[in-house]
Amino acid sequence: AVKTEGGIRMEYETNELRGEIVAKFGSMEKCGKAIGWSGRKIRDVVTGRQSMTAGDIEQLSSALSVKTVERFMKLFFPNLSI
């Protein structure tokens, strides 16, 4: 992930995050709708085409019911170790 003025731009494969979204909601679009995002925003955020703000991460982790730091890090910052 790279910090940008607008948030965090992902620079890695996001299969884990995408898989978690699809497992919980059935599709990225349904997840986006559940948290008030457009289908395009959820796709762009998950694929790294759009920066993810701290608020975006908070919304998405809450929607996915991420309960542990380890799971949070694996989904949102997989290249960092804790």
Side-chain angles (χ1 to χ4, degrees), residues 11-73:
E11 282 199 335
Y12 53 83
E13 184 54 52
T14 56
N15 284 337
E16 185 90 23
L17 179 58
R18 186 175 309 147
E20 188 83 10
I21 289 168
V22 172
K24 177 146 183 153
F25 291 95
S27 72
M28 288 200 303
E29 289 73 18
K30 287 179 184 175
C31 176
K33 187 174 183 178
I35 60 177
W37 295 2
S38 68
R40 181 179 182 122
K41 178 176 179 175
I42 188 82
R43 281 189 308 276
D44 286 353
V45 162
V46 170
T47 60
R49 281 181 243 140
Q50 180 175 331
S51 297
M52 193 181 300
T53 66
D56 291 341
I57 292 171
E58 182 179 5
Q59 273 187 295
L60 198 47
S61 65
S62 178
L64 293 172
S65 303
V66 177
K67 305 248 188 266
T68 66
V69 172
E70 291 81 10
R71 188 69 184 144
F72 176 85
M73 293 300 290

